[in-house]
Amino acid sequence: MNSLTTRQKKALETREKLLKTSLDLFNKHGFEHVSVEQITKACNVSKGTFYTHFPSKYDVILEKFKELDNFYSTVEKSIDGNMPASEKILLLYREQMLYLTNIVGKDLLRTVYTAAMTNQVKKDHYLISPQRKIFQILNTYIEEGIKLGEFRKDLQATQMQTIIKRCMRANVYDWLIHNEDFDLVAEMAHFTAVVLNGMKVEATDEVT
């Protein structure tokens, strides 16, 4: 593998500086109150340099946030394929909540959620994109649960997907607006387990 040239190394350093500076400014002043000009001035680079690395200031957040998808792929490989689908979903969410709590943190997530609610973000923003790795994994588990008779068949897979995704966003939002006594991992486990139980086939339903 060829080593990076001096120019390539410089470009990577500039990109990382833009990323870090942008996130620091967003956390300090709020996403909607920070302009690309402020970011570039703080980094002592031109606007053209910024747009070479990031199409928009929201893409700065997404670049950091997308690191989660690599984590989800790792989690998926570690989950026992013989587990019931509902337990796989609970384990996936548990690992996600631990990562958000210990690695991502409230500051960045607040920025992501705030930015998603501004008119500077497209309607089909990354938070709800079906292309996200976690949603693809989730969909696989739901379809598996329906096929194997664990989940009810009177609910469409897409309906179940929507409900379970909302479990995630609702709990994360509550975590962001509560004090430190809100245990995101525990609350997510309890809330999602209750929802999943409502989607399972009742014992009486299995009798034909």
Side-chain angles (χ1 to χ4, degrees):
M1 182 178 179
N2 295 327
S3 60
L4 296 176
T5 65
T6 301
R7 184 175 181 179
Q8 289 172 326
K9 290 179 181 178
K10 181 64 176 178
L12 287 175
E13 290 173 0
T14 299
R15 194 174 191 278
E16 285 302 311
K17 185 176 181 180
L18 285 167
L19 178 62
K20 184 181 185 304
T21 301
S22 298
L23 293 174
D24 288 344
L25 289 172
F26 294 158
N27 289 332
K28 184 176 181 180
H29 303 292
F31 176 82
E32 66 276 14
H33 299 302
V34 176
S35 66
V36 171
E37 184 176 4
Q38 288 174 290
I39 297 170
T40 55
K41 281 186 176 180
C43 292
N44 195 29
V45 298
S46 67
K47 285 187 178 180
T49 298
F50 177 90
Y51 289 116
T52 296
H53 295 285
F54 303 103
S56 71
K57 66 177 187 175
Y58 187 65
D59 286 278
V60 174
I61 298 175
L62 296 189
E63 185 66 24
K64 187 67 176 179
F65 204 67
K66 285 176 182 177
E67 291 179 5
L68 282 168
D69 280 346
N70 293 329
F71 171 73
Y72 297 140
S73 296
T74 301
V75 172
E76 181 184 22
K77 293 175 183 177
S78 69
I79 294 177
D80 185 352
N82 296 318
M83 293 173 62
S86 58
E87 292 184 22
K88 291 179 180 178
I89 293 171
L90 288 173
L91 183 55
L92 176 66
Y93 269 1
R94 178 180 182 279
E95 293 301 317
Q96 179 195 34
M97 296 306 110
L98 284 170
Y99 192 93
L100 295 181
T101 301
N102 300 325
I103 306 298
V104 178
K106 281 188 174 183
D107 287 341
L108 178 57
L109 274 178
R110 281 198 186 100
T111 302
V112 171
Y113 271 60
T114 300
M117 292 184 286
T118 70
N119 58 11
Q120 301 180 54
V121 180
K122 295 179 181 179
K123 186 176 181 180
D124 55 345
H125 56 75
Y126 182 70
L127 278 180
I128 60 175
S129 170
Q131 301 306 313
R132 289 186 62 192
K133 182 63 177 179
I134 188 171
F135 294 153
Q136 294 176 359
I137 298 172
L138 181 62
N139 294 347
T140 298
Y141 294 158
I142 292 172
E143 291 171 359
E144 175 186 303
I146 294 174
K147 181 179 179 180
L148 297 179
E150 181 181 359
F151 293 140
R152 294 159 44 182
K153 293 185 177 180
D154 60 323
L155 287 174
Q156 296 181 358
T158 53
Q159 292 176 307
M160 297 178 68
Q161 292 161 13
T162 298
I163 293 170
I164 297 173
K165 290 174 186 177
R166 284 176 180 164
C167 287
M168 187 243 316
R169 287 194 291 269
N171 277 279
V172 170
Y173 178 80
D174 268 1
W175 177 57
L176 294 178
I177 63 175
H178 279 77
N179 294 324
E180 297 304 318
D181 59 345
F182 187 94
D183 188 330
L184 179 58
V185 178
E187 293 291 341
M188 175 65 78
H190 175 71
F191 188 88
T192 309
V194 171
V195 171
L196 288 172
N197 284 337
M199 296 180 175
K200 291 181 181 179
V201 174
E202 296 286 349
T204 54
D205 293 338
E206 295 177 354
V207 179
T208 56

